[in-house]
């Protein structure tokens, strides 16, 4: 099938021929960046406020035992939880603790081309994240398995406090722009719609609940 | 007429029907006022003008370097293992997408919201070839079930009340008759979840294309775009050539403007930054990503006085503030692009012959220009387009009247004769009949019996 590339480029060239010669493309970002340094506490207050306005929840937890207790309190007994490999590997005691009364499945149990229906059945997903943004209450995830966190009705994000950043200015930089991964998702609160008479409803296709736990480690 | 052309030639018929629909006007009023209030609140902590100026500069830079940026994006997209296809017309774009679907023996497609796919009339096109293509954005799903087209850029079912939607879902997917939005959304989730799990291909738009790293940016709230781009074997991104911007860091500006302008959110619930098919070490995501870049009249705008129309980020803010849109709704425009920006885009993309009346569907109040987050002078553009259309159309009675008026005003004797005749005839039934369209809702001003000059002359004589 032939592509119209040359025709379109010629049309643009014709249009630009008569126009004033424009300046060369910028080599650097436009100067709006504000890399203000904030302490964790002030950023956490901002993050919590922004996320909770949207119907999410953000809490500080001291250690892995607190995370397990929190997840246990916020999920039904015998419910099925999906745990991403990076989290399961780094926080082993959470896994041991939750496995007592929850059905756990791990990313490592699934190979490429796995059955989507199996993943769609989880009650909750536990995931780590690349960063959290205080300005908007946003979580950044870059993952080798996209669907569990997108399909589960409840999403727990467990993150070290050092990953909380101030603003979107720090997201759209080379740090996240030059990654080799196929995806980067910014998640800001629960999935939502106001398509019916502008009335807000949470949990349309993605998680209805988004809970972010900041771990003091 | 091809299948993708709009029905905007019928604007005069369509708006008369819609303006009489009081329920539609009530729905629109409620929804647009709420959207506008949220927008204004969300900008309270930011300097809107500063951001808008930055956005405008970036968009100007993007259009003035469009070839360079498209080439750069294409190279980087290829490095990311994406296929890139340029389509001059909707027909070419549709044919390519159909070819991709047929090569993979696709039976079912899940699609997220995209104005460009509406421009292509892509869903009916694919369905004609037996490929089930399901709209997964809740608003789009509703109007697909209703057999309608979107009536707003970001809120496609804004014209429908909850009662109408409840009845529709009851009739079409057999759910209990209940007009609670939470219930209706839950039922739609169930129905669409099954589609996501069984579809082989996903189609999305892209709000921005980043030249420097080949990223496609998809912005949404429901999570359906995230699933349409992740839970499938093949993902096709369809967007316009004007969506390319130079730098990843430019998103700092646009992400702060788009959600606020569209829905009053600081950031939409999901921003998916897609850099191609799944990598070898990734367990899901599509095996192929195709990017279709549509021209359809866009490249011809480069270097013209309408070039800034290419800056539009499709936020829909201009619709919410437009007194005409708020009275007649989106369907009256007969185009997938309604409202003030639609009145520009439709004649520019599809030719003025297909939408001769749309540039006149504006009070020129300037509200649209005031809220535009990328600084498009929408009402100035509409005025310029009116001049262009009038210059091309045959001069009839209106032109004769203005020519006569001009000649009259240039000669004092003619002016005096005209004003005397006007005073004599203004109160006669002949004039009332001639102006009956205008006087249906108004009264013609009563002219005084004597002119100022006549009064001055007679009063001066008394002294």
């Amino acid at each position: 099938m032939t592509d119209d590339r040359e025709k379109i480029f010629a049309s643009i060239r014709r249009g630009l021929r008569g126009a004033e010669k424009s300046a060369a493309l910028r080599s650097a970002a436009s100067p709006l960046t504000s890399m203000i340094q904030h302490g964790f506490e002030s950023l956490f207050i901002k993050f919590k406020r922004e996320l909770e306005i949207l119907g999410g929840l953000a809490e500080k937890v001291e250690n892995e035992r607190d995370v397990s207790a929190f997840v246990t309190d916020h999920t039904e007994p015998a419910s099925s939880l999906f745990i991403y490999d990076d989290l399961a590997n780094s926080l082993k005691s959470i896994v041991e603790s939750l496995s007592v009364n929850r059905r756990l499945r791990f990313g490592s149990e699934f190979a490429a081309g796995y059955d989507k229906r199996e993943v769609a059945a989880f009650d909750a997903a536990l995931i780590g994240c690349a960063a959290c943004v205080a300005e908007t209450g946003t979580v950044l995830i870059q993952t080798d398995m996209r669907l569990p966190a997108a399909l589960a009705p409840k999403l727990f994000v467990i993150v070290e406090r050092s990953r909380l950043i101030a603003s979107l200015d720090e997201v759209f930089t080379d740090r996240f722009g030059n990654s080799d991964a196929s995806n980067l998702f910014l998640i800001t609160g629960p999935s939502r719609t106001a398509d019916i008479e502008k009335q807000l409803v949470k949990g349309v296709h993605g998680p209805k609940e988004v809970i972010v736990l900041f771990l003091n480690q | 007429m091809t299948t993708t052309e709009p029905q905007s030639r019928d604007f005069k018929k369509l708006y008369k029907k819609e303006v009489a629909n009081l329920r539609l006007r009530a729905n629109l009023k409620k929804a647009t006022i709420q959207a506008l209030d949220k927008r204004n609140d969300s900008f309270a902590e930011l300097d809107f003008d500063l951001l808008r100026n930055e956005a405008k500069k970036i968009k100007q830079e993007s259009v003035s370097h469009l070839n360079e940026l498209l080439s750069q994006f294409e190279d980087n997209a290829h490095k990311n293992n994406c296929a890139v296809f340029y389509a001059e017309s909707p027909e070419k774009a549709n044919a390519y997408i159909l070819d991709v679907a047929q090569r993979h023996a696709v039976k079912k497609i899940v699609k997220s919201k995209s104005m460009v796919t509406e421009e292509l009339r892509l869903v009916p096109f694919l369905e004609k070839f037996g490929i089930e293509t399901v709209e997964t954005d809740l608003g789009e799903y509703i109007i697909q079930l209703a057999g309608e087209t979107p009536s707003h850029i970001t809120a496609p079912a804004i014209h429908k009340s909850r009662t109408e939607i409840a009845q529709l879902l009851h009739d079409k997917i057999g759910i209990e008759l209940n007009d609670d939005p939470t219930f209706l959304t839950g039922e739609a989730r169930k129905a669409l979840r099954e589609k996501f799990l069984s579809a082989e291909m996903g189609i999305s738009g892209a709000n921005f294309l980043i030249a420097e790293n080949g990223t496609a940016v998809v912005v949404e709230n429901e999570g359906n775009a995230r699933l349409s781009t992740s839970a499938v074997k093949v993902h096709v991104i369809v967007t316009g050539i004007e969506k390319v911007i130079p730098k990843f860091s430019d998103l700092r500006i646009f992400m702060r403007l788009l959600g606020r302008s569209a829905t009053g959110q600081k950031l939409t619930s999901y921003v998916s930054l897609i850099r191609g098919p799944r990598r070898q070490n990734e367990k899901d995501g599509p095996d192929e990503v195709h990017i279709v870049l549509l021209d359809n009249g866009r490249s011809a705008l480069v270097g013209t006085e309408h070039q800034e129309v290419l800056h539009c980020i499709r936020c829909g803010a201009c619709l919410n503030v437009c007194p005409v849109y708020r009275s007649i709704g989106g369907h009256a425009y007969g185009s997938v692009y309604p409202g003030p920006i639609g009145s520009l885009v439709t004649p520019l993309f599809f030719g003025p012959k297909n939408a001769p009346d749309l540039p006149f569907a504006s009070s020129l109040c300037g509200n649209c220009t005031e809220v535009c987050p990328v600084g498009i002078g929408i009402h100035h553009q509409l005025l310029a387009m009116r001049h262009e259309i009038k210059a091309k159309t045959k001069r009839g009675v209106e032109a004769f009247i203005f020519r006569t008026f001009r000649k009259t005003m240039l000669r004092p004797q003619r002016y005096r004769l005209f004003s005397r005749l006007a005073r004599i005839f203004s109160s006669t039934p002949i004039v009332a009949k001639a102006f009956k369209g205008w006087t249906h809702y108004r009264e013609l001003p009563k002219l005084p019996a004597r002119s100022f000059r006549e009064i001055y002359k007679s009063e001066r004589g008394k002294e």
Side-chain angles (χ1 to χ4, degrees), chain B residues 211-232:
Chain B
E212 73 172 355
N213 62 11
T215 300
V217 183
V218 184
V219 168
E220 51 132 1
N221 277 313
E222 296 183 2
N224 62 310
R226 200 171 159 212
L227 291 172
S228 302
T229 61
S230 295
V232 289

PDB file of all heavy atoms in Angstrom, chain B residues 211-232:
ATOM      1  N   ALA B 211       8.420  14.479  18.730  1.00  0.00           N
ATOM      2  CA  ALA B 211       9.403  14.239  17.659  1.00  0.00           C
ATOM      3  C   ALA B 211      10.703  13.675  18.215  1.00  0.00           C
ATOM      4  O   ALA B 211      11.273  12.756  17.643  1.00  0.00           O
ATOM      5  CB  ALA B 211       9.667  15.545  16.910  1.00  0.00           C
ATOM      6  N   GLU B 212      11.183  14.204  19.339  1.00  0.00           N
ATOM      7  CA  GLU B 212      12.541  13.859  19.766  1.00  0.00           C
ATOM      8  C   GLU B 212      12.686  12.429  20.286  1.00  0.00           C
ATOM      9  O   GLU B 212      13.800  11.923  20.364  1.00  0.00           O
ATOM     10  CB  GLU B 212      13.057  14.851  20.814  1.00  0.00           C
ATOM     11  CG  GLU B 212      12.453  14.724  22.180  1.00  0.00           C
ATOM     12  CD  GLU B 212      13.158  15.616  23.198  1.00  0.00           C
ATOM     13  OE1 GLU B 212      14.169  16.253  22.874  1.00  0.00           O
ATOM     14  OE2 GLU B 212      12.665  15.652  24.347  1.00  0.00           O
ATOM     15  N   ASN B 213      11.558  11.761  20.655  1.00  0.00           N
ATOM     16  CA  ASN B 213      11.720  10.376  21.097  1.00  0.00           C
ATOM     17  C   ASN B 213      10.668   9.411  20.534  1.00  0.00           C
ATOM     18  O   ASN B 213      10.594   8.260  20.955  1.00  0.00           O
ATOM     19  CB  ASN B 213      11.777  10.287  22.634  1.00  0.00           C
ATOM     20  CG  ASN B 213      10.499  10.777  23.291  1.00  0.00           C
ATOM     21  OD1 ASN B 213       9.492  10.999  22.615  1.00  0.00           O
ATOM     22  ND2 ASN B 213      10.528  10.951  24.604  1.00  0.00           N
ATOM     23  N   GLY B 214       9.848   9.889  19.608  1.00  0.00           N
ATOM     24  CA  GLY B 214       8.888   9.001  18.941  1.00  0.00           C
ATOM     25  C   GLY B 214       7.755   8.508  19.833  1.00  0.00           C
ATOM     26  O   GLY B 214       7.158   7.468  19.568  1.00  0.00           O
ATOM     27  N   THR B 215       7.441   9.278  20.871  1.00  0.00           N
ATOM     28  CA  THR B 215       6.360   8.878  21.791  1.00  0.00           C
ATOM     29  C   THR B 215       5.001   9.398  21.305  1.00  0.00           C
ATOM     30  O   THR B 215       4.902  10.532  20.853  1.00  0.00           O
ATOM     31  CB  THR B 215       6.627   9.466  23.202  1.00  0.00           C
ATOM     32  OG1 THR B 215       7.866   8.966  23.678  1.00  0.00           O
ATOM     33  CG2 THR B 215       5.529   9.127  24.186  1.00  0.00           C
ATOM     34  N   ALA B 216       3.974   8.549  21.431  1.00  0.00           N
ATOM     35  CA  ALA B 216       2.599   9.000  21.198  1.00  0.00           C
ATOM     36  C   ALA B 216       1.928   9.163  22.562  1.00  0.00           C
ATOM     37  O   ALA B 216       2.030   8.276  23.414  1.00  0.00           O
ATOM     38  CB  ALA B 216       1.846   7.974  20.364  1.00  0.00           C
ATOM     39  N   VAL B 217       1.273  10.286  22.762  1.00  0.00           N
ATOM     40  CA  VAL B 217       0.679  10.589  24.063  1.00  0.00           C
ATOM     41  C   VAL B 217      -0.846  10.492  23.953  1.00  0.00           C
ATOM     42  O   VAL B 217      -1.443  11.152  23.101  1.00  0.00           O
ATOM     43  CB  VAL B 217       1.067  12.016  24.522  1.00  0.00           C
ATOM     44  CG1 VAL B 217       0.519  12.315  25.904  1.00  0.00           C
ATOM     45  CG2 VAL B 217       2.574  12.195  24.470  1.00  0.00           C
ATOM     46  N   VAL B 218      -1.436   9.661  24.806  1.00  0.00           N
ATOM     47  CA  VAL B 218      -2.894   9.492  24.774  1.00  0.00           C
ATOM     48  C   VAL B 218      -3.444   9.878  26.146  1.00  0.00           C
ATOM     49  O   VAL B 218      -3.044   9.325  27.165  1.00  0.00           O
ATOM     50  CB  VAL B 218      -3.295   8.035  24.441  1.00  0.00           C
ATOM     51  CG1 VAL B 218      -4.806   7.910  24.320  1.00  0.00           C
ATOM     52  CG2 VAL B 218      -2.627   7.566  23.160  1.00  0.00           C
ATOM     53  N   VAL B 219      -4.370  10.807  26.144  1.00  0.00           N
ATOM     54  CA  VAL B 219      -4.901  11.377  27.381  1.00  0.00           C
ATOM     55  C   VAL B 219      -6.358  10.963  27.537  1.00  0.00           C
ATOM     56  O   VAL B 219      -7.126  11.055  26.590  1.00  0.00           O
ATOM     57  CB  VAL B 219      -4.770  12.921  27.289  1.00  0.00           C
ATOM     58  CG1 VAL B 219      -5.535  13.612  28.367  1.00  0.00           C
ATOM     59  CG2 VAL B 219      -3.310  13.333  27.324  1.00  0.00           C
ATOM     60  N   GLU B 220      -6.740  10.525  28.716  1.00  0.00           N
ATOM     61  CA  GLU B 220      -8.129  10.066  28.929  1.00  0.00           C
ATOM     62  C   GLU B 220      -8.427   9.935  30.421  1.00  0.00           C
ATOM     63  O   GLU B 220      -7.518  10.081  31.257  1.00  0.00           O
ATOM     64  CB  GLU B 220      -8.342   8.710  28.245  1.00  0.00           C
ATOM     65  CG  GLU B 220      -7.247   7.714  28.637  1.00  0.00           C
ATOM     66  CD  GLU B 220      -7.712   6.345  29.053  1.00  0.00           C
ATOM     67  OE1 GLU B 220      -8.917   6.068  29.043  1.00  0.00           O
ATOM     68  OE2 GLU B 220      -6.845   5.537  29.421  1.00  0.00           O
ATOM     69  N   ASN B 221      -9.671   9.616  30.755  1.00  0.00           N
ATOM     70  CA  ASN B 221     -10.076   9.507  32.157  1.00  0.00           C
ATOM     71  C   ASN B 221     -10.591   8.146  32.578  1.00  0.00           C
ATOM     72  O   ASN B 221     -10.616   7.825  33.753  1.00  0.00           O
ATOM     73  CB  ASN B 221     -11.188  10.528  32.450  1.00  0.00           C
ATOM     74  CG  ASN B 221     -10.614  11.884  32.739  1.00  0.00           C
ATOM     75  OD1 ASN B 221      -9.677  12.016  33.525  1.00  0.00           O
ATOM     76  ND2 ASN B 221     -11.150  12.894  32.094  1.00  0.00           N
ATOM     77  N   GLU B 222     -11.072   7.365  31.618  1.00  0.00           N
ATOM     78  CA  GLU B 222     -11.800   6.152  32.001  1.00  0.00           C
ATOM     79  C   GLU B 222     -10.921   4.915  32.128  1.00  0.00           C
ATOM     80  O   GLU B 222     -11.281   3.972  32.806  1.00  0.00           O
ATOM     81  CB  GLU B 222     -12.914   5.884  30.983  1.00  0.00           C
ATOM     82  CG  GLU B 222     -13.966   6.982  30.971  1.00  0.00           C
ATOM     83  CD  GLU B 222     -15.103   6.687  30.008  1.00  0.00           C
ATOM     84  OE1 GLU B 222     -15.105   5.614  29.381  1.00  0.00           O
ATOM     85  OE2 GLU B 222     -15.987   7.551  29.887  1.00  0.00           O
ATOM     86  N   GLY B 223      -9.783   4.917  31.419  1.00  0.00           N
ATOM     87  CA  GLY B 223      -8.932   3.728  31.408  1.00  0.00           C
ATOM     88  C   GLY B 223      -9.205   2.868  30.194  1.00  0.00           C
ATOM     89  O   GLY B 223      -8.570   1.826  30.005  1.00  0.00           O
ATOM     90  N   ASN B 224     -10.123   3.293  29.337  1.00  0.00           N
ATOM     91  CA  ASN B 224     -10.430   2.494  28.145  1.00  0.00           C
ATOM     92  C   ASN B 224      -9.338   2.616  27.096  1.00  0.00           C
ATOM     93  O   ASN B 224      -9.039   1.645  26.388  1.00  0.00           O
ATOM     94  CB  ASN B 224     -11.785   2.902  27.548  1.00  0.00           C
ATOM     95  CG  ASN B 224     -11.811   4.338  27.088  1.00  0.00           C
ATOM     96  OD1 ASN B 224     -11.437   5.239  27.834  1.00  0.00           O
ATOM     97  ND2 ASN B 224     -12.230   4.575  25.876  1.00  0.00           N
ATOM     98  N   ALA B 225      -8.699   3.793  27.014  1.00  0.00           N
ATOM     99  CA  ALA B 225      -7.620   3.934  26.033  1.00  0.00           C
ATOM    100  C   ALA B 225      -6.431   3.084  26.472  1.00  0.00           C
ATOM    101  O   ALA B 225      -5.756   2.460  25.655  1.00  0.00           O
ATOM    102  CB  ALA B 225      -7.211   5.395  25.899  1.00  0.00           C
ATOM    103  N   ARG B 226      -6.206   3.050  27.770  1.00  0.00           N
ATOM    104  CA  ARG B 226      -5.104   2.246  28.301  1.00  0.00           C
ATOM    105  C   ARG B 226      -5.310   0.769  27.946  1.00  0.00           C
ATOM    106  O   ARG B 226      -4.377   0.060  27.582  1.00  0.00           O
ATOM    107  CB  ARG B 226      -5.101   2.441  29.819  1.00  0.00           C
ATOM    108  CG  ARG B 226      -3.805   2.086  30.461  1.00  0.00           C
ATOM    109  CD  ARG B 226      -3.835   2.522  31.894  1.00  0.00           C
ATOM    110  NE  ARG B 226      -2.844   1.776  32.640  1.00  0.00           N
ATOM    111  CZ  ARG B 226      -2.967   1.443  33.900  1.00  0.00           C
ATOM    112  NH1 ARG B 226      -4.055   1.787  34.565  1.00  0.00           N
ATOM    113  NH2 ARG B 226      -2.020   0.779  34.513  1.00  0.00           N
ATOM    114  N   LEU B 227      -6.567   0.326  28.038  1.00  0.00           N
ATOM    115  CA  LEU B 227      -6.859  -1.072  27.697  1.00  0.00           C
ATOM    116  C   LEU B 227      -6.853  -1.288  26.179  1.00  0.00           C
ATOM    117  O   LEU B 227      -6.351  -2.309  25.700  1.00  0.00           O
ATOM    118  CB  LEU B 227      -8.204  -1.491  28.283  1.00  0.00           C
ATOM    119  CG  LEU B 227      -8.229  -1.607  29.815  1.00  0.00           C
ATOM    120  CD1 LEU B 227      -9.660  -1.849  30.315  1.00  0.00           C
ATOM    121  CD2 LEU B 227      -7.321  -2.730  30.292  1.00  0.00           C
ATOM    122  N   SER B 228      -7.381  -0.321  25.440  1.00  0.00           N
ATOM    123  CA  SER B 228      -7.412  -0.468  23.973  1.00  0.00           C
ATOM    124  C   SER B 228      -6.003  -0.507  23.393  1.00  0.00           C
ATOM    125  O   SER B 228      -5.793  -1.032  22.301  1.00  0.00           O
ATOM    126  CB  SER B 228      -8.157   0.701  23.314  1.00  0.00           C
ATOM    127  OG  SER B 228      -9.460   0.798  23.801  1.00  0.00           O
ATOM    128  N   THR B 229      -5.041   0.063  24.113  1.00  0.00           N
ATOM    129  CA  THR B 229      -3.673   0.095  23.599  1.00  0.00           C
ATOM    130  C   THR B 229      -2.803  -1.006  24.210  1.00  0.00           C
ATOM    131  O   THR B 229      -1.671  -1.197  23.789  1.00  0.00           O
ATOM    132  CB  THR B 229      -3.014   1.455  23.900  1.00  0.00           C
ATOM    133  OG1 THR B 229      -2.971   1.645  25.305  1.00  0.00           O
ATOM    134  CG2 THR B 229      -3.772   2.595  23.282  1.00  0.00           C
ATOM    135  N   SER B 230      -3.340  -1.695  25.239  1.00  0.00           N
ATOM    136  CA  SER B 230      -2.516  -2.687  25.953  1.00  0.00           C
ATOM    137  C   SER B 230      -3.024  -4.113  25.833  1.00  0.00           C
ATOM    138  O   SER B 230      -2.231  -5.052  25.810  1.00  0.00           O
ATOM    139  CB  SER B 230      -2.477  -2.346  27.450  1.00  0.00           C
ATOM    140  OG  SER B 230      -1.826  -1.124  27.661  1.00  0.00           O
ATOM    141  N   ALA B 231      -4.351  -4.290  25.796  1.00  0.00           N
ATOM    142  CA  ALA B 231      -4.921  -5.645  25.871  1.00  0.00           C
ATOM    143  C   ALA B 231      -5.126  -6.266  24.497  1.00  0.00           C
ATOM    144  O   ALA B 231      -6.013  -7.089  24.302  1.00  0.00           O
ATOM    145  CB  ALA B 231      -6.255  -5.584  26.625  1.00  0.00           C
ATOM    146  N   VAL B 232      -4.351  -5.863  23.504  1.00  0.00           N
ATOM    147  CA  VAL B 232      -4.575  -6.308  22.124  1.00  0.00           C
ATOM    148  C   VAL B 232      -3.261  -6.754  21.489  1.00  0.00           C
ATOM    149  O   VAL B 232      -2.185  -6.431  21.988  1.00  0.00           O
ATOM    150  CB  VAL B 232      -5.183  -5.149  21.290  1.00  0.00           C
ATOM    151  CG1 VAL B 232      -6.615  -4.872  21.693  1.00  0.00           C
ATOM    152  CG2 VAL B 232      -4.332  -3.876  21.433  1.00  0.00           C
TER     153      VAL B 232
END
